[in-house]
Amino acid sequence: MSEERVNELLKELHEGVVEYDEERVVEASNAVLAEGHNVYNAVMNGLASGMEEVGELYDQQEYFVPELLMCADALYAGLDILKPHIDPADVGSSGAKGQVVLGSIQGDVHDIGKNIIKMMFEVAGFTVYDLGRDVPLENFVEEQLKTDSEIVAMSAMMTTTMMGMKKVVEMIKEKNPNVQIMLGGAPVTGDIADLFGADGYAESAGNAVQEAVKMVASLRKLQSE
Amino acid sequence: MTPKERVQKFFKKEPIDTMPVFSGMGTVTIQAIEKMGVRFAEIHTDAELMGKSAMTSAEMWGFDGVVVPYDMCIPAEAMGRGATLYADVEGILYPTVPTKWATLDDVELPDDYQSLFGEARMPVVDGALKYCLDYDGGKYAVGGWTLGPFTLGGQIMELDVLLKGLAKDKKRVTAFLESMTEYVIAMAKHYQDLGVDYISIREMGSGTDLLSPRMWKTLIKPNLEKVFAALDVPTVNHICGGTDLIIEMMGDCGADAVSVDQKNNVVASREKLGPDALILGNFDPYKTLVTMDAADVDAVIKGCVDAGVDAVWPGCDIWPDVKAENMKAYVEAVHKYGDAPTSAVGRL
């Protein structure tokens, strides 16, 4: 396969995600498999890099959440085709994958930001244990212990629900102080994340994408070094 | 001047003695609930407890007005989507809608929204509003509220489907939002008929954290205009999150006032909306009333007044588990800095 053809397919995947063109992504993904291209390369340098640009467009207020969601659909359309064919050896070489327990806190049925984060973790090669939404507090603790995940990421869309996250942080840190806890959602700030004893936070759904994109980018950088 | 008179005159932009302390969002606090000897989960299902918790909070802290209900599930619940009340959960959790419709194809809209007012907890809200309106001879201002059409739509069906549909399935989503608009108008008129002093329309899921200004202009604004045009009672157009890019359109929807949260640049908004616009806002209720030192609250309230609001409103529901000393400092500061006339409202 020529380098030119590889770049053409990567461009198709990238632009298909950015322009939320699911058909284009599906076509390019099938071509990657049919023509024997490296699948992990297609995921990371086609789909994921497309999502990086989506994050930038969101940051520049050119894209908003509807566009993010449609881009995510396009990305998943490609992932559904490509992910089963990724060579584990390629993923392993990144050296940065891990396990994440993820969910929207009890009392909160909003999960758009959480689902975007889930997508980006998956793209980055993490194993994601998605507990869904309106998750009872103790479920985060139990799932972390069960899976021995390095990260627990919680989301709350409203001030009226975020207090539960403080309790979860306390419960998890008591059992295992080394677990990294990320908080996200509209009402969460850096101050609140600190106050709750968390290790990090995402300012909003858009910022969460940015943070997740940075994770993907750093993974790709690690891989290329 | 009674609290009710103060708020009524405020919305008419007539001179008042001092800035009223009130909100278009919930101001119930845990101290009032504990004084009543009940749990937070209980006050959502009993008209008297709901009304009494609002009035007890108002009296305890010195508010001029109250707003009920406290959760946003009620209209979706009346359409058969249910409500999770978290009755067995320790601490404070607001009710949520457990099962939203997954697609537009699944949505079942009633022929007549009036028929929903006897359903689920709709009568509880009516009872609570009547309790508050009658309390102490009708001394206090009572606010009604509903979600805006888009945010209400997101309570009834999955929000991501709705958001994507705004671009991918515009015709059907537009029709759905028009139906939600009818629902909002029906509810708001119902509360107007009960005698509330003002109505807040909380289109809180439509800020520019989620939607582009262009989308707001074509899909949100026309429906809000219909809502405000249908009402005679004073109205408030409340949106939380990013509003700087849409504030002029918000001010152009026909409401008597706009309400914004702490993300809004009120100085710029005042310049854009002009000196006669009623602007309400915009302190962070959680930070100011829960986490901050009480000594710092005064500066936050002064900052809102200095920026140009006509009444200091929290940007969202007050988190019930407030620090008592912060609540006192908040109300005292509003009285302290609210003596002077604001841009749109003079003083006696």
Side-chain angles (χ1 to χ4, degrees), chain B residues 19 21 31 60-63 283 287-290 292-305 312 318 322-338:
Chain B
M19 182 181 287
V21 185
Q31 291 85 353
M60 183 175 275
W61 306 117
F63 275 65
F283 71 88
K287 187 176 179 182
T288 309
L289 301 175
V290 180
M292 191 175 273
D293 287 338
D296 298 328
V297 172
D298 183 277
V300 172
I301 303 305
K302 184 177 186 297
C304 295
V305 174
V312 176
I318 287 178
V322 290
K323 289 183 193 168
E325 58 270 29
N326 290 38
M327 283 296 285
K328 286 176 191 163
Y330 150 44
V331 175
E332 282 173 12
V334 172
H335 288 149
K336 179 177 167 187
Y337 300 111

Short mmCIF file of all heavy atoms in Angstrom, two decimals, chain B residues 19 21 31 60-63 283 287-290 292-305 312 318 322-338:
data_model
loop_
_atom_site.label_atom_id
_atom_site.label_comp_id
_atom_site.label_asym_id
_atom_site.label_seq_id
_atom_site.Cartn_x
_atom_site.Cartn_y
_atom_site.Cartn_z
N MET B 19 -34.00 47.22 47.53
CA MET B 19 -33.95 46.08 46.60
C MET B 19 -34.60 44.85 47.24
O MET B 19 -34.24 44.48 48.36
CB MET B 19 -32.49 45.77 46.26
CG MET B 19 -32.31 44.64 45.25
SD MET B 19 -30.56 44.31 44.92
CE MET B 19 -30.11 45.72 43.92
N VAL B 21 -35.25 41.00 48.10
CA VAL B 21 -34.42 39.78 48.13
C VAL B 21 -35.33 38.63 47.69
O VAL B 21 -36.24 38.23 48.41
CB VAL B 21 -33.90 39.50 49.56
CG1 VAL B 21 -32.95 38.31 49.54
CG2 VAL B 21 -33.21 40.73 50.12
N GLN B 31 -31.94 24.50 56.91
CA GLN B 31 -32.27 24.97 58.26
C GLN B 31 -33.79 25.06 58.44
O GLN B 31 -34.31 24.75 59.52
CB GLN B 31 -31.63 26.35 58.50
CG GLN B 31 -30.11 26.33 58.61
CD GLN B 31 -29.41 26.41 57.26
OE1 GLN B 31 -30.05 26.35 56.21
NE2 GLN B 31 -28.10 26.52 57.29
N MET B 60 -37.22 32.89 57.67
CA MET B 60 -35.98 32.65 58.41
C MET B 60 -34.87 33.60 57.95
O MET B 60 -34.10 34.12 58.76
CB MET B 60 -35.55 31.19 58.20
CG MET B 60 -34.32 30.78 58.95
SD MET B 60 -34.02 29.01 58.72
CE MET B 60 -35.05 28.31 59.99
N TRP B 61 -34.79 33.85 56.65
CA TRP B 61 -33.67 34.62 56.11
C TRP B 61 -34.05 36.04 55.71
O TRP B 61 -33.18 36.88 55.46
CB TRP B 61 -33.06 33.90 54.90
CG TRP B 61 -32.67 32.49 55.17
CD1 TRP B 61 -33.18 31.36 54.61
CD2 TRP B 61 -31.70 32.04 56.12
NE1 TRP B 61 -32.59 30.24 55.13
CE2 TRP B 61 -31.68 30.63 56.07
CE3 TRP B 61 -30.84 32.69 57.03
CZ2 TRP B 61 -30.84 29.86 56.87
CZ3 TRP B 61 -30.01 31.91 57.82
CH2 TRP B 61 -30.01 30.53 57.74
N GLY B 62 -35.36 36.32 55.60
CA GLY B 62 -35.77 37.67 55.23
C GLY B 62 -35.96 37.88 53.75
O GLY B 62 -35.65 38.96 53.21
N PHE B 63 -36.45 36.85 53.06
CA PHE B 63 -36.73 36.98 51.64
C PHE B 63 -38.06 37.68 51.41
O PHE B 63 -38.98 37.60 52.23
CB PHE B 63 -36.78 35.59 50.98
CG PHE B 63 -35.43 35.07 50.57
CD1 PHE B 63 -34.46 34.78 51.51
CD2 PHE B 63 -35.12 34.90 49.23
CE1 PHE B 63 -33.21 34.32 51.14
CE2 PHE B 63 -33.88 34.44 48.84
CZ PHE B 63 -32.92 34.15 49.79
N PHE B 283 -24.81 35.89 41.18
CA PHE B 283 -23.74 35.27 41.99
C PHE B 283 -23.85 33.75 41.98
O PHE B 283 -24.92 33.19 41.75
CB PHE B 283 -23.71 35.83 43.43
CG PHE B 283 -24.85 35.41 44.32
CD1 PHE B 283 -24.78 34.25 45.08
CD2 PHE B 283 -25.99 36.20 44.44
CE1 PHE B 283 -25.81 33.87 45.93
CE2 PHE B 283 -27.03 35.83 45.29
CZ PHE B 283 -26.94 34.67 46.03
N LYS B 287 -20.86 28.52 45.61
CA LYS B 287 -19.60 29.08 46.12
C LYS B 287 -19.87 30.12 47.21
O LYS B 287 -19.21 30.14 48.25
CB LYS B 287 -18.84 29.71 44.95
CG LYS B 287 -17.45 30.19 45.29
CD LYS B 287 -16.76 30.70 44.03
CE LYS B 287 -15.37 31.20 44.35
NZ LYS B 287 -14.71 31.75 43.15
N THR B 288 -20.85 30.98 46.95
CA THR B 288 -21.08 32.11 47.84
C THR B 288 -21.72 31.69 49.16
O THR B 288 -21.39 32.24 50.21
CB THR B 288 -21.98 33.15 47.15
OG1 THR B 288 -21.44 33.45 45.86
CG2 THR B 288 -22.08 34.43 47.97
N LEU B 289 -22.63 30.76 49.10
CA LEU B 289 -23.41 30.44 50.29
C LEU B 289 -22.98 29.15 50.99
O LEU B 289 -23.38 28.90 52.12
CB LEU B 289 -24.90 30.35 49.93
CG LEU B 289 -25.47 31.64 49.31
CD1 LEU B 289 -26.92 31.41 48.88
CD2 LEU B 289 -25.37 32.81 50.28
N VAL B 290 -22.16 28.33 50.31
CA VAL B 290 -21.78 27.05 50.91
C VAL B 290 -20.28 27.00 51.23
O VAL B 290 -19.90 26.60 52.32
CB VAL B 290 -22.16 25.88 49.98
CG1 VAL B 290 -21.75 24.54 50.61
CG2 VAL B 290 -23.65 25.89 49.68
N MET B 292 -17.76 29.57 50.68
CA MET B 292 -17.02 30.81 50.97
C MET B 292 -17.07 31.17 52.46
O MET B 292 -18.00 30.79 53.16
CB MET B 292 -17.69 31.91 50.14
CG MET B 292 -16.98 33.21 50.07
SD MET B 292 -17.87 34.32 48.95
CE MET B 292 -17.16 33.85 47.39
N ASP B 293 -16.06 31.91 52.91
CA ASP B 293 -16.14 32.47 54.27
C ASP B 293 -17.23 33.54 54.28
O ASP B 293 -17.33 34.34 53.34
CB ASP B 293 -14.81 33.10 54.67
CG ASP B 293 -13.76 32.07 54.97
OD1 ASP B 293 -14.14 30.92 55.28
OD2 ASP B 293 -12.56 32.42 54.88
N ALA B 294 -18.00 33.59 55.34
CA ALA B 294 -19.10 34.55 55.43
C ALA B 294 -18.62 35.99 55.23
O ALA B 294 -19.32 36.83 54.66
CB ALA B 294 -19.82 34.39 56.76
N ALA B 295 -17.40 36.24 55.69
CA ALA B 295 -16.86 37.61 55.60
C ALA B 295 -16.67 38.07 54.16
O ALA B 295 -16.60 39.27 53.88
CB ALA B 295 -15.52 37.67 56.34
N ASP B 296 -16.59 37.10 53.24
CA ASP B 296 -16.35 37.45 51.84
C ASP B 296 -17.64 37.62 51.04
O ASP B 296 -17.60 38.02 49.87
CB ASP B 296 -15.48 36.38 51.17
CG ASP B 296 -14.11 36.27 51.81
OD1 ASP B 296 -13.61 37.32 52.28
OD2 ASP B 296 -13.56 35.16 51.87
N VAL B 297 -18.77 37.28 51.62
CA VAL B 297 -20.04 37.32 50.88
C VAL B 297 -20.41 38.74 50.50
O VAL B 297 -20.91 39.00 49.39
CB VAL B 297 -21.16 36.66 51.73
CG1 VAL B 297 -22.53 36.86 51.07
CG2 VAL B 297 -20.88 35.17 51.91
N ASP B 298 -20.18 39.66 51.39
CA ASP B 298 -20.53 41.07 51.16
C ASP B 298 -19.95 41.57 49.84
O ASP B 298 -20.65 42.21 49.03
CB ASP B 298 -20.00 41.92 52.34
CG ASP B 298 -20.39 43.38 52.21
OD1 ASP B 298 -19.69 44.12 51.48
OD2 ASP B 298 -21.40 43.79 52.83
N ALA B 299 -18.70 41.25 49.59
CA ALA B 299 -18.03 41.72 48.37
C ALA B 299 -18.66 41.11 47.12
O ALA B 299 -18.73 41.77 46.07
CB ALA B 299 -16.55 41.39 48.43
N VAL B 300 -19.11 39.88 47.22
CA VAL B 300 -19.74 39.23 46.07
C VAL B 300 -21.04 39.95 45.71
O VAL B 300 -21.31 40.25 44.55
CB VAL B 300 -20.03 37.74 46.39
CG1 VAL B 300 -20.87 37.11 45.27
CG2 VAL B 300 -18.73 36.98 46.57
N ILE B 301 -21.83 40.24 46.73
CA ILE B 301 -23.12 40.90 46.49
C ILE B 301 -22.88 42.33 45.97
O ILE B 301 -23.55 42.78 45.03
CB ILE B 301 -23.96 40.93 47.79
CG1 ILE B 301 -24.15 39.51 48.34
CG2 ILE B 301 -25.30 41.63 47.55
CD1 ILE B 301 -24.75 38.51 47.38
N LYS B 302 -21.92 43.00 46.57
CA LYS B 302 -21.59 44.35 46.10
C LYS B 302 -21.15 44.31 44.64
O LYS B 302 -21.51 45.19 43.83
CB LYS B 302 -20.47 44.95 46.98
CG LYS B 302 -20.11 46.39 46.62
CD LYS B 302 -19.06 46.95 47.57
CE LYS B 302 -18.81 48.43 47.32
NZ LYS B 302 -18.27 48.74 46.00
N GLY B 303 -20.41 43.28 44.29
CA GLY B 303 -19.95 43.14 42.92
C GLY B 303 -21.10 43.02 41.94
O GLY B 303 -21.07 43.61 40.85
N CYS B 304 -22.13 42.30 42.33
CA CYS B 304 -23.32 42.16 41.46
C CYS B 304 -24.00 43.52 41.28
O CYS B 304 -24.37 43.91 40.17
CB CYS B 304 -24.32 41.17 42.06
SG CYS B 304 -23.73 39.48 42.17
N VAL B 305 -24.17 44.23 42.39
CA VAL B 305 -24.84 45.54 42.35
C VAL B 305 -24.01 46.52 41.51
O VAL B 305 -24.54 47.22 40.65
CB VAL B 305 -25.07 46.08 43.77
CG1 VAL B 305 -25.64 47.49 43.73
CG2 VAL B 305 -26.00 45.15 44.55
N VAL B 312 -30.31 41.42 43.04
CA VAL B 312 -29.28 40.39 43.16
C VAL B 312 -29.97 39.04 43.24
O VAL B 312 -30.69 38.74 44.20
CB VAL B 312 -28.41 40.63 44.43
CG1 VAL B 312 -27.40 39.50 44.59
CG2 VAL B 312 -27.71 41.98 44.36
N ILE B 318 -30.60 27.83 45.09
CA ILE B 318 -29.69 27.83 46.24
C ILE B 318 -29.55 26.40 46.73
O ILE B 318 -30.56 25.70 46.91
CB ILE B 318 -30.25 28.74 47.36
CG1 ILE B 318 -30.09 30.21 46.95
CG2 ILE B 318 -29.55 28.47 48.68
CD1 ILE B 318 -30.65 31.20 47.96
N VAL B 322 -26.89 25.31 52.99
CA VAL B 322 -26.09 26.54 53.07
C VAL B 322 -25.53 26.75 54.47
O VAL B 322 -26.00 26.15 55.44
CB VAL B 322 -26.94 27.78 52.71
CG1 VAL B 322 -27.29 27.81 51.25
CG2 VAL B 322 -28.19 27.84 53.58
N LYS B 323 -24.52 27.61 54.56
CA LYS B 323 -24.06 28.06 55.88
C LYS B 323 -24.99 29.18 56.33
O LYS B 323 -25.21 30.15 55.57
CB LYS B 323 -22.64 28.61 55.79
CG LYS B 323 -21.56 27.59 55.54
CD LYS B 323 -20.22 28.35 55.56
CE LYS B 323 -19.09 27.52 55.01
NZ LYS B 323 -17.88 28.33 54.76
N ALA B 324 -25.49 29.09 57.53
CA ALA B 324 -26.43 30.10 58.03
C ALA B 324 -25.80 31.49 58.01
O ALA B 324 -26.45 32.48 57.62
CB ALA B 324 -26.87 29.72 59.45
N GLU B 325 -24.52 31.57 58.39
CA GLU B 325 -23.88 32.89 58.46
C GLU B 325 -23.72 33.51 57.07
O GLU B 325 -23.76 34.73 56.92
CB GLU B 325 -22.52 32.81 59.19
CG GLU B 325 -21.50 31.87 58.59
CD GLU B 325 -21.57 30.45 59.14
OE1 GLU B 325 -22.68 30.02 59.53
OE2 GLU B 325 -20.52 29.77 59.14
N ASN B 326 -23.58 32.65 56.06
CA ASN B 326 -23.46 33.17 54.69
C ASN B 326 -24.81 33.69 54.19
O ASN B 326 -24.88 34.70 53.48
CB ASN B 326 -22.93 32.09 53.75
CG ASN B 326 -21.48 31.76 54.02
OD1 ASN B 326 -21.06 31.73 55.18
ND2 ASN B 326 -20.71 31.52 52.99
N MET B 327 -25.88 32.99 54.53
CA MET B 327 -27.22 33.45 54.14
C MET B 327 -27.50 34.81 54.77
O MET B 327 -28.02 35.72 54.12
CB MET B 327 -28.28 32.44 54.58
CG MET B 327 -28.38 31.21 53.70
SD MET B 327 -28.89 31.58 52.00
CE MET B 327 -30.64 31.91 52.21
N LYS B 328 -27.15 34.92 56.04
CA LYS B 328 -27.37 36.21 56.72
C LYS B 328 -26.57 37.31 56.04
O LYS B 328 -27.06 38.41 55.81
CB LYS B 328 -26.97 36.09 58.20
CG LYS B 328 -27.95 35.30 59.05
CD LYS B 328 -27.43 35.15 60.47
CE LYS B 328 -28.27 34.14 61.24
NZ LYS B 328 -27.61 33.67 62.45
N ALA B 329 -25.32 37.00 55.74
CA ALA B 329 -24.46 38.00 55.10
C ALA B 329 -24.99 38.40 53.73
O ALA B 329 -24.93 39.57 53.34
CB ALA B 329 -23.03 37.44 54.96
N TYR B 330 -25.53 37.43 53.00
CA TYR B 330 -26.09 37.69 51.66
C TYR B 330 -27.28 38.64 51.76
O TYR B 330 -27.32 39.69 51.07
CB TYR B 330 -26.46 36.34 51.04
CG TYR B 330 -27.60 36.25 50.06
CD1 TYR B 330 -27.78 37.20 49.04
CD2 TYR B 330 -28.48 35.17 50.11
CE1 TYR B 330 -28.84 37.08 48.14
CE2 TYR B 330 -29.52 35.05 49.22
CZ TYR B 330 -29.70 36.01 48.24
OH TYR B 330 -30.74 35.88 47.36
N VAL B 331 -28.22 38.34 52.63
CA VAL B 331 -29.42 39.19 52.75
C VAL B 331 -29.05 40.57 53.28
O VAL B 331 -29.54 41.60 52.79
CB VAL B 331 -30.47 38.49 53.64
CG1 VAL B 331 -31.67 39.41 53.87
CG2 VAL B 331 -30.93 37.18 53.00
N GLU B 332 -28.16 40.60 54.25
CA GLU B 332 -27.73 41.90 54.80
C GLU B 332 -27.06 42.76 53.73
O GLU B 332 -27.29 43.96 53.64
CB GLU B 332 -26.74 41.68 55.96
CG GLU B 332 -27.42 41.29 57.27
CD GLU B 332 -26.42 40.91 58.36
OE1 GLU B 332 -25.21 41.16 58.18
OE2 GLU B 332 -26.88 40.33 59.36
N ALA B 333 -26.26 42.11 52.89
CA ALA B 333 -25.55 42.86 51.85
C ALA B 333 -26.52 43.39 50.79
O ALA B 333 -26.34 44.50 50.28
CB ALA B 333 -24.48 41.98 51.21
N VAL B 334 -27.54 42.60 50.47
CA VAL B 334 -28.53 43.09 49.49
C VAL B 334 -29.23 44.33 50.05
O VAL B 334 -29.42 45.33 49.34
CB VAL B 334 -29.56 41.99 49.14
CG1 VAL B 334 -30.68 42.58 48.28
CG2 VAL B 334 -28.91 40.83 48.42
N HIS B 335 -29.59 44.28 51.32
CA HIS B 335 -30.23 45.45 51.94
C HIS B 335 -29.26 46.65 51.99
O HIS B 335 -29.64 47.79 51.73
CB HIS B 335 -30.71 45.11 53.34
CG HIS B 335 -31.91 44.20 53.33
ND1 HIS B 335 -32.16 43.27 54.33
CD2 HIS B 335 -32.91 44.04 52.43
CE1 HIS B 335 -33.27 42.61 54.05
NE2 HIS B 335 -33.74 43.07 52.90
N LYS B 336 -28.00 46.34 52.30
CA LYS B 336 -27.00 47.41 52.44
C LYS B 336 -26.75 48.12 51.10
O LYS B 336 -26.78 49.35 51.03
CB LYS B 336 -25.69 46.78 52.94
CG LYS B 336 -24.52 47.70 53.14
CD LYS B 336 -23.37 46.84 53.72
CE LYS B 336 -22.05 47.53 53.68
NZ LYS B 336 -20.97 46.61 54.10
N TYR B 337 -26.55 47.33 50.05
CA TYR B 337 -26.23 47.95 48.76
C TYR B 337 -27.47 48.20 47.91
O TYR B 337 -27.39 48.86 46.87
CB TYR B 337 -25.23 47.07 47.99
CG TYR B 337 -23.94 46.88 48.75
CD1 TYR B 337 -23.61 45.64 49.28
CD2 TYR B 337 -23.08 47.96 48.98
CE1 TYR B 337 -22.44 45.47 50.03
CE2 TYR B 337 -21.91 47.80 49.71
CZ TYR B 337 -21.60 46.55 50.24
OH TYR B 337 -20.46 46.40 50.98
N GLY B 338 -28.60 47.67 48.36
CA GLY B 338 -29.84 47.84 47.59
C GLY B 338 -30.61 49.09 47.95
O GLY B 338 -31.71 49.31 47.43
#
